[in-house]
Amino acid sequence: MPFRPPFLPPRSSPRPRTPLRRLRAAPAAVAAACCGLLVLPSSAGAADAPGADAAHAPRIHDIQGRTRLSPFAGREVTGVPGVVTGVPGVVTGVRDFGAARGFWLQDPHPDRDRATSEGIYVHTGGDSPGVETGDALRVTGKVQEYYPGGKEAGNQSVTELSGATWRTTGHRPRGRLPRAVRLTAHSVPEAYAPDAAGGPPGSGALEGGSIENRPLRPGRYALDRYESLEGMRVSVHDVRVTGPTSRYHDLWVTTDPDQHPTPRGGTLYGSYEDRNGARMKISSLLPLDRHPFPEADVGDALRGTTEGPLDYEQYGGYTLRATALGELRDNGLERERTRRQRRNELAVATYNVENLSPASEPAKFERLAEGLVTNLSSPDIVTVEEVQDDSGPQDDGTVGAERTLTRLTEAIRKAGGPSYAWRQIDPEDKADGGRPGGNIRVAFLYNPARVSFTDRPGGDATTAVRVLERGGEPALSASPGRIAPRDAAWEDSRKPLAGEFRFRGRTVFVIAGHFSSKGGDQPMEGRIQPPARHSEQQRVAQAEAVNGFVRTLRDVDPEAVVVAGGDFNDFPFSPTLRTLRSGHALTSPLDRLPRDERYGYVYNGNSQTLDHLLTSPGAGRPEYDIVHINAEFADQVSDHDPSVVRITRR
């Protein structure tokens, strides 16, 4: 799962389109009528007029320029005119995120250039700005490009005024702010971003170039459209939620309900080309004690108008900072239940339980148990990922997970499920990645009343399991055993676990995996296009190791039944999954689901697939089900949905 440090403040099938309509406001001669300008007192009126102090005061659109980088970067500017944007009568439009304070300023007199933004963020440091929405100001400060998360993170920059001082020249009454630009399916282009590498679409394994200095084409690319509105008031109307409310009080919506929709209301990320530029992150500038942030699930809607300045942040890119929020309409999304396996069907599931340890709340164990018993109908075998050691996040040298797994299996039994047994291998301390000190690992749960586990000694953290031939059939040298744990592919990553089971007289080999995360990849919405997938190389190497192990089993018995399940941290169309399936060693039963149902994880408003259950040809044609109980819901016990395959014993 993506790691989001707890101390940080809140972050963030194609159809033909009509040509982008010209939404930039009218020229200055008619701007007063367009924007509802107020006749201010003489001093304020002079400051607000387009030509005032022209020799010394560039306008905001001059500072923003026609690319992502300001032509004034590094220079001091004096007397820049604008209006603080926000909800009239409430001190909002003011950013107060930890020690970073400031406000958005917008020029009510736009130029004729659709590529230049009329809004800018004014950074005031640790001091409270002391301004209100509607204040007309003349601002002096240094122009800088701020990179959320640091320049090395690959994000785009935010053009801002830092070290700012200002004088107030007047105040605009309620309803007289610059009109918000409405974002719709027709105003946001289908194409996502320019390609600075010149390679084929989706070739992000090779790093592209920076798009920072390229002239903006807001009528051609979604990211350029958003950049041309950076800092300006924007709005969305009657939008569907595609990413549930997080604990950071943000959510994702789409301005195009026809852009790769899922049956349950999400937006499908189905290829590297389908990046879904109509997605928009929303957070709030309103005080939460008086304006609680809506707790929304995927498929819900924000009815009416949501509007505010368009910002860019580290987690999610372009973000609408709402000064007015639409009303939540609950569309009643329900958690799914899969059917119970038949007597001659072996049900194998996979479930990422997200950093489970004895330090987790009791309610987490109870809800995980309910999900396994009620929603998954008590599978025969479950590969579980992100099982932490018995001291949880404490970095104290503990590596055993007896207490963690005991609490989980007891909770399952209390929920009316079977008395699951488990098998796992303790990792070396701090060798398998994840939260420092947590020592996450994969494990098997199984129902002894339905299947048996073939125990063979010799498996430990560093000894590689081997495939043996016994009586013409494959067998494991150790069960459970780890696959190639000393291979460089598994450095600082969870090692896959292989186990030998028996179901109705037939041997079944199960592999539990949790491949390395996508940490370090360049962001989809960043300045490098196409973004480089730096982490992919390690996952491909891990896939090669697992694929080679399965091939060895099938060299002994081409009809061997193998199930490889887990959080492979990659997409069905990725090189990682292609490598796992190479040589027809494994197949993806997922591919037999309708395309718009192939997801079990929601990230930045995109519904996608990271968890998989792959089967060997000897398993026949299993039935596959992704059971949606977590990822689409604000109230989730894990950020992953579990999946299950049912294999018929022939």
Side-chain angles (χ1 to χ4, degrees), residues 514-530:
H514 186 185
F515 286 7
S516 59
S517 77
K518 292 182 175 293
D521 286 4
Q522 291 173 339
M524 179 188 296
E525 61 283 338
R527 69 184 186 278
I528 307 300
Q529 295 293 336

Side-chain angles (χ1 to χ4, degrees), residues 214-277:
R214 292 191 169 210
L216 295 176
R217 299 174 64 188
R220 180 70 179 88
Y221 300 109
L223 290 190
D224 285 15
R225 179 60 176 151
Y226 295 142
E227 180 65 20
S228 74
L229 299 171
E230 180 189 88
M232 293 178 61
R233 279 168 42 81
V234 300
S235 69
V236 295
H237 187 77
D238 288 351
V239 285
R240 192 182 71 230
V241 175
T242 66
T245 301
S246 79
R247 65 179 183 271
Y248 301 95
H249 306 295
D250 55 42
L251 55 79
W252 288 78
V253 300
T254 181
T255 58
D256 185 354
D258 295 326
Q259 191 172 64
H260 305 124
T262 70
R264 292 168 59 85
T267 296
L268 184 72
Y269 181 54
S271 76
Y272 291 124
E273 292 80 24
D274 299 334
R275 293 189 271 178
N276 301 316

Side-chain angles (χ1 to χ4, degrees), residues 244-566:
T245 301
S246 79
R247 65 179 183 271
Y248 301 95
H249 306 295
D250 55 42
L251 55 79
W252 288 78
V253 300
T254 181
T255 58
D256 185 354
D258 295 326
Q259 191 172 64
H260 305 124
T262 70
R264 292 168 59 85
T267 296
L268 184 72
Y269 181 54
S271 76
Y272 291 124
E273 292 80 24
D274 299 334
R275 293 189 271 178
N276 301 316
R279 293 173 299 115
M280 174 61 63
K281 185 177 181 179
I282 294 177
S283 68
S284 179
L285 294 177
L286 301 169
L288 294 175
D289 56 344
R290 284 180 286 163
H291 303 271
F293 196 78
E295 186 166 312
D297 300 329
V298 167
D300 290 347
L302 290 183
R303 297 300 302 273
T305 297
T306 298
E307 65 183 14
L310 185 62
D311 194 16
Y312 184 98
E313 60 156 49
Q314 180 178 2
Y315 298 104
Y318 293 101
T319 301
L320 193 164
R321 306 290 191 190
T323 56
L325 274 167
E327 181 182 357
L328 178 66
R329 184 183 71 187
D330 185 347
N331 284 330
L333 190 71
E334 294 185 356
R335 288 177 163 86
E336 291 185 334
R337 295 187 181 188
T338 196
R339 70 169 178 84
R340 182 174 293 277
Q341 64 272 27
R342 300 183 181 94
R343 185 177 179 184
N344 65 334
E345 290 178 324
L346 174 70
V348 183
T350 187
Y351 200 169
N352 184 318
V353 295
E354 195 179 2
N355 289 318
L356 184 68
S357 80
S360 302
E361 294 290 332
K364 177 164 186 171
F365 285 92
E366 293 168 4
R367 289 189 57 192
L368 286 170
E370 180 185 5
L372 284 160
V373 175
T374 302
N375 302 92
L376 280 174
S377 296
S378 300
D380 301 313
I381 303 170
V382 187
T383 72
V384 287
E385 300 83 51
E386 291 200 25
V387 173
Q388 289 191 344
D389 64 37
D390 288 338
S391 66
Q394 295 183 31
D395 190 2
D396 59 3
T398 300
V399 294
E402 181 87 11
R403 289 176 55 209
T404 305
L405 290 166
T406 296
R407 285 193 60 182
L408 177 58
T409 52
E410 286 181 350
I412 293 169
R413 182 176 50 79
K414 289 179 181 178
S419 297
Y420 279 111
W422 74 81
R423 294 293 186 274
Q424 63 95 40
I425 291 177
D426 293 333
E428 294 181 292
D429 189 30
K430 293 187 284 291
D432 281 18
R435 182 174 292 174
N439 290 315
I440 59 173
R441 83 289 310 275
V442 297
F444 297 124
L445 304 183
Y446 67 97
N447 179 4
R450 291 267 300 168
V451 298
S452 62
F453 189 84
T454 304
D455 286 294
R456 291 200 178 94
D460 58 31
T462 60
T463 301
V465 63
R466 294 175 292 111
V467 175
L468 307 176
E469 182 177 349
R470 292 185 176 178
E473 295 186 352
L476 302 182
S477 62
S479 179
R482 288 179 135 195
I483 297 174
R486 289 300 192 192
D487 192 304
W490 308 108
E491 183 178 355
D492 198 32
S493 181
R494 285 69 57 182
K495 283 68 175 173
L497 192 68
E500 194 173 323
F501 294 83
R502 297 280 290 180
F503 174 68
R504 296 175 66 84
R506 180 76 185 269
T507 297
V508 177
F509 299 96
V510 181
I511 299 169
H514 186 185
F515 286 7
S516 59
S517 77
K518 292 182 175 293
D521 286 4
Q522 291 173 339
M524 179 188 296
E525 61 283 338
R527 69 184 186 278
I528 307 300
Q529 295 293 336
R533 304 189 294 269
H534 296 301
S535 66
E536 187 176 88
Q537 184 176 358
Q538 184 176 11
R539 287 192 300 280
V540 169
Q542 293 171 345
E544 289 172 345
V546 172
N547 177 271
F549 185 80
V550 174
R551 287 192 188 205
T552 304
L553 285 167
R554 296 192 63 230
D555 284 344
V556 179
D557 179 9
E559 295 300 313
V561 178
V562 185
V563 181

